[in-house]
Amino acid sequence: MNFSGWIIYNGHLPGQKFLDFAQWLQQAAIQKGLQTTIYKNNDLLAHLQTTSCNILTNKTDSLPDFVIFTDKDIYLAKQLEYLGVPVFNNAQAIEVSDDKIATYQTLVKHHLPIPETIIAPKQFSRTIPIDPSFVRQAADTLGLPMILKEAYGSFGEQVYFIHSYDDLLAKVKALQGKPFVFQQYIATSYGKDKRLHVVGEKVVAAMIRKASNDFRANVTAGGTMQAYEPSREEVEMAVRAVKAIGADFAGVDLLFGPDESALVCEVNSNAHIRNIYDCTRINVADFIIDHIVHKLKNRERNRNDA
């Protein structure tokens, strides 16, 4: 079976890391004998008419057999799914992963451990004064210091370490109109976490990330890396987290809990893979392509048997 695919990344983001991720996947696909084309999301316009939907592009006349979606443009991902194209990861998984609030609610629904979290009440205006009573209640419940996280953000950005109630109130006012959460500060994980890359139902690579002068462990924020062999419990937790959000592959960040148990910090459906390759020499892209081919072959067999 000869499959052809598209690899889609965001064409309006600065730097080369997003194209690099797409190229990394494409190289793995070539080695597996797959034909793939890399597209910016702005090269593929979701076109809607009363009786039909399609993709507008100047580069091709036919839809692919599959799409690897490294972006968060869920409307385009959904359009491709409406047209019958298998998308990896699917639009729903990307949507849940991109929204930290939705992620935490989904994880708790599946009884996965997370830091204690309070969702800030929705605010529609940045100009109407806030009622500070909910801020005080969050502080009394979680204690200080604490972490504030905006619902949307990547690479450790939009995450804030809050030392005092005055700082907390000021940050809440600054975030007015944006969705965010108050979250318990896990002191035993200050500046360090574990990144486990899951593909299918396996953890294929893992590393510990550490920062010397930041509460966040992201390599992009200056953290260092070392290869790591996760415990059976950590593997099971990471796989369950990825299955909970409905993804085929993802990077799962685990915190060092106070009793040496792990807590799920985030699930990233578009986790980049160059850093973990530099750390472990394991190419996660090879596993992603193998997983996609396996699912496409099963899909084809099921069609033929129907």
Side-chain angles (χ1 to χ4, degrees), residues 55-286:
I55 299 293
L56 296 181
T57 176
N58 295 323
K59 296 189 177 183
T60 185
D61 294 323
S62 59
L63 291 171
D65 297 314
F66 68 95
V67 165
I68 306 177
F69 211 86
T70 71
D71 189 31
K72 299 178 180 180
D73 187 345
I74 58 171
Y75 303 113
L76 176 57
K78 286 180 180 179
Q79 185 91 342
L80 290 161
E81 291 175 349
Y82 292 157
L83 292 166
V85 180
V87 178
F88 304 93
N89 282 303
N90 64 70
Q92 183 177 356
I94 296 169
E95 186 171 16
V96 173
S97 170
D98 190 35
D99 181 343
K100 292 181 178 63
I101 296 173
T103 297
Y104 291 130
Q105 288 183 319
T106 301
L107 293 173
V108 168
K109 180 182 177 182
H110 289 82
H111 308 292
L112 284 151
I114 65 168
E116 187 175 357
T117 299
I118 295 173
I119 302 170
K122 186 174 181 62
Q123 303 166 66
F124 291 98
S125 172
R126 295 182 61 86
T127 58
I128 298 174
I130 65 167
D131 176 358
S133 61
F134 76 89
V135 182
R136 172 57 69 184
Q137 187 174 12
D140 290 344
T141 302
L142 300 178
L144 288 164
M146 73 162 65
I147 303 297
L148 253 62
K149 290 184 179 180
E150 295 185 39
Y152 301 99
S154 300
F155 305 110
E157 299 176 6
Q158 293 80 43
V159 179
Y160 312 101
F161 189 87
I162 306 298
H163 295 272
S164 68
Y165 179 75
D166 288 342
D167 290 343
L168 178 62
L169 190 58
K171 181 56 71 174
V172 169
K173 290 178 179 178
L175 294 178
Q176 193 170 349
K178 296 181 178 180
F180 67 93
V181 298
F182 306 90
Q183 193 164 81
Q184 173 191 16
Y185 165 54
I186 308 299
T188 48
S189 204
Y190 183 92
K192 61 181 181 178
D193 68 9
K194 304 168 186 177
R195 163 62 64 88
L196 278 62
H197 273 268
V198 176
V199 180
E201 297 192 5
K202 296 181 179 179
V203 172
V204 300
M207 64 181 175
I208 291 177
R209 305 183 298 184
K210 294 182 179 180
S212 59
N213 56 356
D214 199 306
F215 72 97
R216 300 161 298 180
N218 301 71
V219 175
T220 304
T224 59
M225 309 172 288
Q226 67 183 69
Y228 176 65
E229 185 66 36
S231 68
R232 179 172 57 84
E233 291 76 14
E234 289 168 340
V235 168
E236 291 177 355
M237 187 181 299
V239 170
R240 285 178 58 208
V242 173
K243 291 177 71 175
I245 72 164
D248 285 280
F249 50 86
V252 180
D253 297 340
L254 301 180
L255 298 178
F256 292 79
D259 57 355
E260 298 186 358
S261 62
L263 299 169
V264 182
C265 179
E266 292 186 13
V267 184
N268 186 346
S269 68
N270 294 306
H272 291 196
I273 56 179
R274 178 176 286 277
N275 284 338
I276 203 160
Y277 176 80
D278 291 340
C279 178
T280 66
R281 312 314 291 179
I282 295 172
N283 188 348
V284 175
D286 290 334

Side-chain angles (χ1 to χ4, degrees), residues 1-52:
M1 301 177 184
N2 295 319
F3 300 110
S4 63
W6 293 351
I7 302 172
I8 299 173
Y9 76 102
N10 194 294
H12 287 109
L13 291 172
Q16 291 296 307
K17 67 175 62 177
F18 304 97
L19 175 59
D20 177 72
F21 184 23
Q23 290 172 333
W24 201 275
L25 290 163
Q26 184 180 53
Q27 186 58 41
I30 291 171
Q31 292 175 355
K32 303 294 182 179
L34 299 182
Q35 179 183 347
T36 58
T37 305
I38 295 176
Y39 284 97
K40 301 174 183 177
N41 69 319
N42 44 298
D43 288 332
L44 303 166
L45 302 182
H47 182 213
L48 301 170
Q49 296 174 290
T50 301
T51 58
S52 66

